[in-house]
Amino acid sequence: MLAAALAALVAAGCSGGGGSSGSDTSSAAVPADAIAVVDGTPITRAEYDRFFRQTEQAYKAQGRDLPKAGTPEYEQLKSQAVDYLVQRVLLQKQATALGIQVPEATVQKRLKDLVDQYFEGDQAKYKAEIKKQGLTEDDVVTDIKAQLINQKVFDQVTKGVTVTPDEVKKYYDEHPKDFTTPDSRQVAHILVKTEKEADDIKAQLDAGADFAELAKKYSTDTASAKEGGKLTDEKGSFVPEFEKVAFALETGKYSDPTKTQFGWHVIKALEDTTPSKTQSFEDVKGQIEQQLLQQKKNEKMNAWVDDVKQKYADQISFAAGFKPLANTGTTSTSP
């Protein structure tokens, strides 16, 4: 849903490598309805609560539960949320200093793109969803504008970053496994719980039964059973007992019952083994260049954000209990 998408979108903004510095003050220094003040700009509790709701939606979209309040994982997440909100204010201030502006038309176009992507352009569905998530249209626009500002700041700070051909070649030479595909083989299997069941299945195969039909009928591996037991074994991805048999079988033959930690298998080799292959430097040099370029840009952005935090260190105050941890574990990514 759009709310989860926005949580991911704003979380993809540029952030530094550690927690925000600043003083952990009493409520007297920070308004009662705020969690922090950044160079005179308050971050309200409503902003924090809303951002945390979006984070929860992002977790749900990934099929994960939000850590329980009070746990170290929850405190880390809370710390990251506060740190992000502080950084958002800092980046907005720096964007102004850098002469960066985001026209309203650009914000509205990005919003339209999101509504088209997630709601097929249906405004009624979009409005119903943000209402369900406890968001207003102003909230959504605020998040989009912050992300677009972050993107422009990132682009400006990192515009001089380059990668040399020598760096690309060095990476290729030092990471051969990254560009090598392992031996692989198309096989099929029937997985059952007991040796007796496996023996019975092999007996049916010996009598001429169809392997794929038996897999659909008996295999407890429901995902592969739908395809007649078919799967691709890339060497090193399956348990050793399975692979020893799978790669030794003559093509078209099936195995005796084979025991693994998952149960008993009858395995059939469907095709010959495809040998390991290493991609040539010419085939992957563009991919490596982009990877190294992104890494360098992230590193430069991290350093720049850390410098900004230091510059404003004495102008950031937190309400009691909201000062980020010493290391929030946040990283910089391209917006």
Side-chain angles (χ1 to χ4, degrees), residues 8 16 41 43 61 79 92 96 104 153 166 174 206-207 237 240-241 251 266 307 311 320 329:
T41 301
I43 298 173
S79 182
Q92 288 172 334
T96 300
E104 183 63 24
V153 172
D166 286 347
E174 293 180 351
D206 290 342
S237 62
E241 300 90 344
T251 300
V266 178
D307 286 344
K311 176 182 176 181

Side-chain angles (χ1 to χ4, degrees), residues 61-227:
Q62 298 167 14
R64 302 161 62 196
D65 292 328
L66 195 72
K68 292 183 178 180
T71 63
E73 294 79 10
Y74 181 88
E75 290 303 313
Q76 183 81 357
L77 200 59
K78 174 182 174 183
S79 182
Q80 289 173 352
V82 176
D83 195 49
Y84 169 77
L85 291 170
V86 169
Q87 288 182 40
R88 186 163 79 173
V89 174
L90 290 176
L91 288 182
Q92 288 172 334
K93 290 179 180 292
Q94 290 303 299
T96 300
L98 292 169
I100 291 172
Q101 296 181 339
V102 176
E104 183 63 24
T106 303
V107 177
Q108 291 301 319
K109 182 181 184 304
R110 176 60 175 148
L111 175 58
K112 180 181 183 301
D113 290 344
L114 284 171
V115 174
D116 288 345
Q117 179 180 355
Y118 290 94
F119 299 95
E120 299 179 340
D122 191 321
Q123 284 288 328
K125 288 182 179 179
Y126 155 66
K127 291 179 180 180
E129 179 62 25
I130 63 172
K131 182 178 180 180
K132 176 183 174 183
Q133 302 301 337
L135 300 172
T136 66
E137 290 190 74
D138 284 345
D139 292 335
V140 175
V141 168
T142 295
D143 285 344
I144 291 173
K145 187 172 184 178
Q147 193 275 337
L148 292 173
I149 288 173
N150 288 359
Q151 183 174 356
K152 286 198 170 190
V153 172
F154 184 94
D155 290 345
Q156 184 156 327
V157 170
T158 64
K159 66 182 177 181
V161 176
T162 59
V163 176
T164 68
D166 286 347
E167 288 174 316
V168 176
K169 186 62 166 65
K170 181 181 178 183
Y171 185 91
Y172 177 82
D173 291 339
E174 293 180 351
H175 299 82
K177 290 184 179 179
D178 291 357
F179 310 104
T180 301
T181 57
D183 290 349
S184 63
R185 194 173 201 185
Q186 286 286 328
V187 298
H189 81 135
I190 301 169
L191 175 63
V192 290
K193 294 181 180 179
T194 67
E195 184 176 14
K196 183 180 182 306
E197 290 175 289
D199 286 337
D200 289 344
I201 285 169
K202 184 170 185 298
Q204 291 184 61
L205 291 170
D206 290 342
D210 182 76
F211 193 99
E213 290 304 317
L214 293 181
K216 292 175 182 178
K217 185 175 181 180
Y218 294 111
S219 184
T220 60
D221 179 1
T222 55
S224 69
K226 296 175 183 177
E227 303 299 324

Side-chain angles (χ1 to χ4, degrees), residues 268-286:
K268 182 177 181 179
L270 301 178
E271 297 178 2
D272 292 345
T273 296
T274 300
S276 171
K277 181 182 178 182
T278 299
Q279 294 173 286
S280 72
F281 175 67
E282 288 300 316
D283 286 342
V284 298
K285 65 180 182 180

Side-chain angles (χ1 to χ4, degrees), residues 28-39:
V30 177
D33 63 346
I35 63 162
V37 174
V38 182
D39 188 31

